Amino acid sequence: MKALLIILLIVLVIVVLAVVYPIITGRPSGGGFEGQTLFKSEDGGDTWKNLEKFPGGEVKVLRFDADNADFIFAGTARRGVWRGKQNGEEWRQFTQSLGEGAKVFDILEPASLKKLTALVFSNQRGRVISAGEKEQKELLFTGLERFAFFKARASRDQKTIRVIGSDGGFYESVNSGRTWSRLAIFKEGLILFEVNRDNPAEIWTIDSRGSMARSQNGGKNWTDLSNGFRNFSGSQDARVLFYDQKLGILYHASRYGLLESFDHGRSWKTVALPLAQEVLPITSFALDPTNPSRLLAGASNQLFISSDRGVSWHISKIPASGAVTAILLDSKTPRNIFIGLSTQERIR
C-alpha cells in the first residue's frame, strides 16, 4: 500500500509539472524546442547559426526594423513580439497586449520601434495593436471571443490598412486605423490574402476551405477562382499566398506543394520541387527582394532554394526539429537569411 501511494504521488507531481510549467513560463513543455527556433545563415543557406539567446519560443513572423537595420522583430506563438539584434543578442519583449501569452499572426510592414502594428490573439479576442516606444493603442478587435485576425496589408504610408478575420470579414481603414469599414463578409473564415501593391484595387483572399476569390475594385465585388485548383489535391490546405510585383506571378503554397499563376489566379501550374506532391506541406515562402528568380520554400525543417525560378533546387536542412514558418531575407545582403521555426506538424 505504501509503495502504491509513493507511485501515485510521483505520477501526480509529474502531471502537475506538465500542466503548470507551460502556464507559468509561457513555454511549451516536453523537450528542447525552446532556444532552437530562430536561425541565421550568412552564406545563402549553406550553413546555419542557432540564435540560441532568443527566448521567445515558436516563431510565426519575422520583420526587419525599418529604422534600424541592425534589429529584427519576431512574432511568436505564445510569447508576443520581441525585438533583438541581427546577431541574436539584446532581445526585448513587448508588454501588454503584445507580451506574454499573446499569439502573433502578422506584423505589418514597415515596422519600427517607433511604430509597430501587429495582429495578435490575446485575452480570447483577435486584436490589431499599434505600438510605439511609450504606448500601445488597440485599433480593432473582434466582436466575439475566440475569433482572430490572421493577415493584414498596409499601404507604404500605412494610411490604408486591410485586415481579414476568421469571422469571414474583410476590413479596411483609410486613416491609419482610427476608423474601420467592413467591405465584405464571406461565408467561411478568411485565412490568407494578398494585394497587388502596384494596383491596390486588386486583392486575393483564401478562406478556411481553400476557396480563392479575387477583387478588382478594392474589395467591393469578388470573383470565385476556386475552380483553378481542382486538379491539385491538397491545395485546399493553403499556407502562403504571395504576389511577385516585378514579374506579375502569384504564388500559392499548400499541402500539395508550390503553385504559380501567370494570369492573376485564374489558372495554375506546378512549380517542380525535389519532393513529390503532398509528401510535406510547404509552410513558408519568400523571394529574394533583389532577384525575383531566387525562390525559397520551407517544408518541415528544410529550406528549398532555387536561383533559376524553380528549374533547379538546393536543399538546406535546418539543424533543429520543427517546421519553417517564417523566412526573412536581408535586401542589402541577400545571403543573410533568417529562419523561424514552429512545432512540427503530423504528416498525413
Side-chain angles (χ1 to χ4, degrees):
M1 178 64 71
K2 186 176 180 180
L4 179 60
L5 288 174
I6 293 174
I7 293 173
L8 290 174
L9 182 60
I10 293 172
V11 171
L12 180 61
V13 170
I14 293 172
V15 171
V16 169
L17 286 175
V19 173
V20 173
Y21 179 80
I23 296 174
I24 294 175
T25 64
R27 304 176 183 180
S29 61
F33 198 71
E34 186 76 16
Q36 300 182 53
T37 58
L38 186 58
F39 287 78
K40 180 182 181 181
S41 175
E42 297 179 344
D43 53 17
D46 290 336
T47 60
W48 295 93
K49 176 185 177 182
N50 178 13
L51 303 185
E52 58 188 358
K53 291 186 179 181
F54 173 65
E58 296 179 70
V59 176
K60 291 298 183 183
V61 57
L62 294 170
R63 295 282 186 258
F64 284 112
D65 187 321
D67 290 342
N68 190 335
D70 290 336
F71 286 83
I72 62 173
F73 295 99
T76 69
R78 297 177 179 85
R79 307 197 67 201
V81 178
W82 295 74
R83 180 179 181 266
K85 283 193 170 182
Q86 284 200 30
N87 63 4
E89 304 281 345
E90 299 183 22
W91 291 100
R92 182 178 73 84
Q93 185 185 31
F94 281 62
T95 59
Q96 302 176 56
S97 295
L98 299 179
E100 203 70 28
K103 182 171 184 176
V104 183
F105 289 104
D106 205 358
I107 297 175
L108 272 67
E109 295 183 286
S112 69
L113 188 59
K114 293 180 180 178
K115 184 177 181 181
L116 177 140
T117 303
L119 274 58
V120 304
F121 185 80
S122 64
N123 296 321
Q124 296 300 306
R125 289 184 188 270
R127 305 174 191 275
V128 181
I129 304 293
S130 176
E133 291 184 81
K134 297 182 180 180
E135 63 178 359
Q136 290 186 19
K137 183 178 180 181
E138 189 167 73
L139 304 181
L140 184 67
F141 62 88
T142 56
L144 297 174
E145 291 187 347
R146 291 179 289 187
F147 284 89
F149 300 119
F150 290 141
K151 289 291 178 182
R153 291 290 182 269
S155 58
R156 290 180 176 87
D157 59 7
Q158 286 203 2
K159 288 185 177 179
T160 298
I161 304 174
R162 289 160 168 166
V163 177
I164 58 167
S166 60
D167 62 350
F170 182 86
Y171 301 91
E172 182 184 67
S173 174
V174 294
N175 53 16
S176 301
R178 289 192 294 274
T179 60
W180 294 83
S181 300
R182 190 176 70 180
L183 299 185
I185 183 71
F186 291 76
K187 292 181 180 179
E188 303 292 334
L190 298 178
I191 60 171
L192 296 171
F193 90 108
E194 180 64 299
V195 176
N196 180 348
R197 292 205 172 194
D198 291 334
N199 175 21
E202 184 174 33
I203 308 164
W204 299 268
T205 63
I206 294 179
D207 67 21
S208 57
R209 293 189 175 183
S211 299
M212 174 180 279
R214 177 189 179 212
S215 175
Q216 295 177 269
N217 58 7
K220 297 175 183 177
N221 304 102
W222 297 86
T223 301
D224 188 354
L225 300 179
S226 304
N227 285 338
F229 295 105
R230 284 186 299 178
N231 296 326
F232 305 104
S233 176
S235 62
Q236 296 80 13
D237 190 1
R239 309 303 176 88
V240 182
L241 192 61
F242 185 94
Y243 184 66
D244 176 7
Q245 309 288 147
K246 293 182 180 179
L247 299 181
I249 303 172
L250 186 63
Y251 290 96
H252 178 284
S254 68
R255 185 168 290 279
Y256 169 82
L258 186 62
L259 298 169
E260 60 184 2
S261 174
F262 296 88
D263 55 10
H264 299 259
R266 290 187 292 272
S267 63
W268 298 86
K269 61 178 290 188
T270 301
V271 178
L273 290 164
L275 182 72
Q277 284 81 36
E278 295 189 84
V279 172
L280 289 174
I282 303 301
T283 52
S284 53
F285 177 79
L287 287 183
D288 184 333
T290 65
N291 177 13
S293 293
R294 186 175 176 228
L295 314 181
L296 298 91
S300 185
N301 63 340
Q302 302 168 93
L303 190 65
F304 297 90
I305 305 172
S306 175
S307 298
D308 50 19
R309 220 181 58 74
V311 176
S312 60
W313 294 86
H314 165 67
I315 303 175
S316 177
K317 186 173 181 179
I318 313 302
S321 61
V324 177
T325 45
I327 306 171
L328 184 64
L329 282 85
D330 189 339
S331 60
K332 295 182 179 179
T333 311
R335 291 183 65 79
N336 288 350
I337 308 171
F338 294 87
I339 292 296
L341 297 175
S342 287
T343 302
Q344 178 67 64
E345 300 181 34
R346 189 188 327 183
I347 305 302
R348 290 188 288 198

